[in-house]
Amino acid sequence: MVPSGLRTARDLAALAGRLFAAQRLQLPLRTRLALLETVARQAERCAAAAVYETRQAGASWEEIAAAAGMTATQASALWDTPALRVLFPPRQPQTDRQAAAQRLADALAYLQCSSGVSVDQAAEQAGLEVPYLLQVLEGGSVPAWPEVYTLVTVFGGAAEELRVLWESARGAVHPPVLPPQGAAGYLAAALRGLYLAAGSPALSQLSGRALLPSSCIGQVLAGHHAPPWPATARLVRALGGRSEDIEPLWQAVLQAATALDGPQLPRQLGCADCRITAPHAP
């Protein structure tokens, strides 16, 4: 699967920031060369993703070639389907914990890149060593919660949005005892964490994957309502998360909301669009 051009560009910018920090701090040459190779490889992926999106929009190889300053034959050989399979190979199987750690790292890397705070600035403000922070942003280390909280604050984010990501990376999600009022907001924060980890894709892209209208997804992420479970599970999977991590939170929301509005609430969860699409979910 070819990721979006926006996602690959964001990843490239994050890697470039890490390379800048490594160079400025004169980290070991092996570390800097490895980062440089990774940046170069990501630049190839970024170009390929942009070409793929342009082709999907209907552009011909001749038009692609004109933009790239090469012949149509060269462009096709560089970015055709076999070439894309080489640039974007299927991911190696990961354990649930490894995948969860990567989602946490992706969310932190997205916040770091969006904030404009460099890696070395973030390390200084958070009281962390740069090599360790690089490991965290690449998914090689799962930080303690106070470190996550501090980093998210440095990046201008909301720490509660990454709490479930962190718990999942640590191996367990603990649904809280939720007050009836605003219970959907806690679930929404967890979903927004997955949204950050996915690179904040356009709601129109999520709509096709989750089989929910964009307007409905926006309302869910804002915490205005919680969809029935089948619709919620589809949205979680569309964001690259595990429904097993989110279902306990959804159940907690359901219990809190039922205590507030009565036992008929399960038929009233979500908006009309949620309720219409929910029965079709696997």
Side-chain angles (χ1 to χ4, degrees), residues 230-258:
T232 302
R234 285 203 312 276
L235 179 57
V236 170
R237 290 193 294 268
L239 290 169
R242 286 191 347 131
S243 57
E244 297 92 329
D245 291 336
I246 301 300
E247 187 172 10
L249 306 180
W250 186 89
Q251 292 290 347
V253 169
L254 176 63
Q255 292 172 10
T258 300

Side-chain angles (χ1 to χ4, degrees), residues 110-128:
Y110 180 84
L111 289 173
Q112 184 261 319
C113 185
S114 301
S115 71
V117 178
S118 68
V119 173
D120 49 334
Q121 288 173 332
E124 181 179 357
Q125 293 180 44
L128 302 174

Side-chain angles (χ1 to χ4, degrees), residues 168-190:
S168 181
R170 287 283 179 162
V173 175
H174 304 286
V177 177
L178 298 173
Q181 290 84 0
Y186 193 91
L187 175 63

Side-chain angles (χ1 to χ4, degrees), residues 5-231:
L6 182 63
R7 176 68 183 268
T8 54
R10 188 268 291 177
D11 290 346
L12 177 60
L15 285 167
R18 294 171 206 169
L19 177 62
F20 178 82
Q23 184 65 35
R24 193 179 76 81
L25 296 173
Q26 290 294 289
L27 295 183
L29 179 60
R30 176 176 296 182
T31 300
R32 285 178 280 156
L33 291 178
L35 271 171
L36 185 59
E37 183 178 350
T38 303
V39 168
R41 187 68 167 169
Q42 184 60 28
E44 293 180 29
R45 294 191 183 100
C46 191
V51 169
Y52 177 79
E53 287 185 338
T54 306
R55 285 280 293 163
Q56 292 295 105
S60 66
W61 282 119
E62 286 72 18
E63 291 171 308
I64 300 292
M70 61 182 67
T71 67
T73 300
Q74 290 172 325
S76 176
L78 190 58
W79 294 305
D80 62 7
T81 300
L84 291 177
R85 290 198 188 103
V86 173
L87 285 171
F88 302 101
R91 289 187 176 183
Q92 294 298 318
Q94 292 180 307
T95 66
D96 290 340
R97 289 280 294 276
Q98 288 172 329
Q102 190 59 57
R103 285 192 292 272
L104 175 64
D106 286 344
L108 287 169
Y110 180 84
L111 289 173
Q112 184 261 319
C113 185
S114 301
S115 71
V117 178
S118 68
V119 173
D120 49 334
Q121 288 173 332
E124 181 179 357
Q125 293 180 44
L128 302 174
E129 296 293 330
V130 170
Y132 172 67
L133 181 52
L134 288 172
Q135 282 189 324
V136 168
L137 294 175
E138 292 166 3
S141 295
V142 177
W145 174 246
E147 294 171 334
V148 174
Y149 188 96
T150 301
L151 285 171
V152 175
T153 302
V154 168
F155 298 148
E160 65 270 16
E161 295 179 353
L162 273 70
R163 180 72 192 194
V164 172
L165 291 177
W166 177 79
E167 289 182 351
S168 181
R170 287 283 179 162
V173 175
H174 304 286
V177 177
L178 298 173
Q181 290 84 0
Y186 193 91
L187 175 63
L191 293 173
R192 288 195 299 272
L194 287 174
Y195 184 69
L196 289 173
S200 295
L203 296 187
S204 58
Q205 293 179 337
L206 280 180
S207 177
R209 299 179 206 156
L211 304 179
L212 284 170
S214 300
S215 58
C216 176
I217 295 174
Q219 293 291 309
V220 171
L221 292 175
H224 295 160
H225 69 261
W229 174 243

